[in-house]
């Protein structure tokens, strides 16, 4: 399946496994695939390239977005598997939010970046309580501008609905990124002063990252673990506009082709 440069998206709304339905091709939005309050979804063997997010996990926004009685149209996104996909130019391959509440148990594996801007993008909103956890990203190859990108999202509507500010704090935890070979302009763009949430328990393991720089704030992620990380400097040449294959080939020369790692039982326990 190929999702190319177009002005529509596939929107899955309130689906549960085999009950998922394509709600429609929605104009004025250019995401590739939106999973809105969906459980038990698999996206496999697709190529997505567009001028917006490729796969966006959503579920509603606003002060009371996580109160599904007050906001019956909202809901969590749970149990999502993205595998064996390719991403051309897109703002983010796998994107959490920004209009999202609870997003849990998400796996992206064996995917190739052909000039995507971001591999994993965690969008935080100052006006919405968000809970992102139990995330695994592994066996990613190719070229992207950022490997991990987490910031307060600029398009925050600031819904003022009477909820205390401390109740609007967001959380991202139990995130693992491993077994990846990626050429990027910037390894990490994560800074505590640019977040509206708390990040903790991130594990980075067996990574080969070739890029120019990193904007990683040690204070931004509590209890982060780094194991077997190899980085090297490279001249960034705007891979989303050029041919990334010349850099991807270089990476394979460094580390060789990896076999897909199986997901251990109980990883989301």
């Amino acid at each position: 399946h190929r999702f190319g440069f177009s002005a529509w998206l596939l929107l899955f709304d309130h689906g549960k496994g085999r009950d998922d339905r394509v709600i429609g091709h929605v104009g004025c939005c250019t995401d590739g695939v939106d999973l809105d309050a969906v459980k038990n979804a698999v996206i496999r063997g697709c190529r997505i390239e567009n001028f917006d997010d490729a796969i966006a996990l959503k579920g509603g926004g606003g002060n009371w977005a996580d109160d599904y009685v007050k906001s019956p149209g909202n809901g969590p996104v749970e149990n999502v598997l993205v595998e064996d996909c390719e991403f051309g130019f897109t703002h983010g391959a796998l994107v959490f939010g920004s209009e999202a509440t609870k997003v849990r148990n998400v796996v992206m594996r064996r995917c190739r970046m052909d000039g995507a801007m971001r591999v994993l993008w965690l969008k935080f909103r100052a006006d919405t309580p968000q809970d992102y956890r139990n995330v695994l990203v592994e066996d990613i190859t190719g070229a992207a501008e950022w490997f991990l990108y987490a910031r307060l999202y600029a398009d925050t509507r600031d819904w003022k609905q009477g909820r205390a500010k401390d109740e609007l704090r967001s959380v991202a935890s139990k995130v693992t990124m491993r077994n990846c070979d990626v050429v990027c302009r910037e390894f990490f763009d994560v800074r505590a002063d640019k977040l509206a949430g708390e990040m903790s328990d991130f594990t980075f393991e067996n990574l080969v990252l070739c890029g120019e720089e990193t904007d990683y704030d040690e204070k931004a992620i509590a209890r982060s673990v780094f194991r077997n990380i190899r980085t090297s400097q490279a001249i960034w040449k705007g891979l989303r506009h050029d041919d990334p294959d010349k850099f991807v080939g270089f990476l394979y020369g460094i580390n060789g082709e990896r076999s897909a790692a199986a997901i251990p039982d109980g990883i989301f326990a």
Side-chain angles (χ1 to χ4, degrees), residues 174-193:
K174 298 182 179 179
V175 177
T176 297
M177 305 183 77
R178 68 188 184 196
N179 303 339
C180 300
D181 296 347
V182 179
V183 172
C184 45
R185 180 172 67 83
E186 198 166 349
F187 311 140
F188 306 108
D189 193 324
V190 183
R191 295 192 56 83
D193 59 353

Side-chain angles (χ1 to χ4, degrees), residues 96-97 101-104 120-125 128-135 148-151 168-177 190 195-204 219-224:
F96 286 55
T101 56
K102 295 179 175 65
V103 182
R104 299 179 178 179
L120 177 61
W121 187 0
L122 304 177
K123 294 182 180 180
F124 293 100
R125 301 184 69 92
T128 302
Q130 296 163 310
D131 188 337
Y132 305 152
R133 67 181 67 214
N134 298 342
V135 181
L148 172 62
Y149 192 92
R151 286 198 180 192
L168 299 177
R169 293 292 293 175
S170 296
V171 175
S173 67
K174 298 182 179 179
V175 177
T176 297
M177 305 183 77
V190 183
L195 297 175
E198 300 174 358
M199 301 176 64
S200 66
D201 301 294
F202 276 57
T203 299
F204 305 97
K219 299 178 181 179
I221 305 178
R223 300 182 299 279
S224 55

Side-chain angles (χ1 to χ4, degrees), residues 11-243:
L11 172 63
F12 294 82
D13 182 70
H14 287 77
K16 296 181 180 179
R18 295 183 180 179
D19 295 328
D20 287 349
R21 292 292 183 270
V22 180
I23 298 303
H25 297 168
V26 183
C28 78
C29 182
T30 52
D31 289 341
V33 178
D34 274 3
L35 300 181
D36 193 338
V38 167
K39 297 181 180 180
N40 307 324
V42 176
I43 300 174
R44 178 183 293 122
C46 296
R47 178 176 175 85
I48 305 175
E49 51 188 327
N50 58 1
F51 289 104
D52 209 324
D53 301 331
I55 298 174
L57 311 180
K58 299 185 175 183
N63 284 187
W64 299 98
D66 62 341
D67 187 327
Y68 305 137
V69 175
K70 291 186 177 182
S71 305
N74 296 345
V77 175
E78 297 177 339
N79 307 328
V80 175
L81 173 62
V82 179
E83 64 180 6
D84 302 319
C85 292
E86 295 181 356
F87 297 91
F89 175 76
T90 182
H91 292 178
L94 182 61
V95 181
F96 286 55
S98 73
E99 295 180 13
T101 56
K102 295 179 175 65
V103 182
R104 299 179 178 179
N105 303 348
V106 179
V107 175
M108 179 169 71
R109 63 185 181 186
R110 300 194 306 269
C111 292
R112 174 185 169 97
M113 305 293 142
D114 286 337
M117 292 184 69
R118 302 164 181 88
V119 176
L120 177 61
W121 187 0
L122 304 177
K123 294 182 180 180
F124 293 100
R125 301 184 69 92
D127 55 11
T128 302
Q130 296 163 310
D131 188 337
Y132 305 152
R133 67 181 67 214
N134 298 342
V135 181
L136 173 61
V137 176
E138 67 176 358
D139 296 297
I140 307 300
T141 61
E145 288 203 48
W146 289 275
F147 185 64
L148 172 62
Y149 192 92
R151 286 198 180 192
L152 176 66
Y153 190 52
D155 183 25
T156 297
R157 295 169 177 77
D158 191 20
W159 285 289
K160 296 180 179 179
Q161 299 167 325
R163 199 163 185 180
K165 187 175 181 179
D166 60 354
E167 294 183 287
L168 299 177
R169 293 292 293 175
S170 296
V171 175
S173 67
K174 298 182 179 179
V175 177
T176 297
M177 305 183 77
R178 68 188 184 196
N179 303 339
C180 300
D181 296 347
V182 179
V183 172
C184 45
R185 180 172 67 83
E186 198 166 349
F187 311 140
F188 306 108
D189 193 324
V190 183
R191 295 192 56 83
D193 59 353
K194 296 178 181 178
L195 297 175
E198 300 174 358
M199 301 176 64
S200 66
D201 301 294
F202 276 57
T203 299
F204 305 97
E205 185 173 18
N206 298 333
L207 302 178
V208 177
L209 302 174
C210 183
E212 287 188 331
E213 58 189 35
T214 183
D215 191 7
Y216 178 75
D217 181 357
E218 294 182 356
K219 299 178 181 179
I221 305 178
R223 300 182 299 279
S224 55
V225 176
F226 292 82
R227 299 191 190 100
N228 191 25
I229 310 299
R230 297 174 59 191
T231 62
S232 61
Q233 297 290 313
I235 298 176
W236 177 259
K237 295 185 178 180
L239 299 185
R240 68 180 189 272
H241 301 300
D242 296 340
D243 179 8

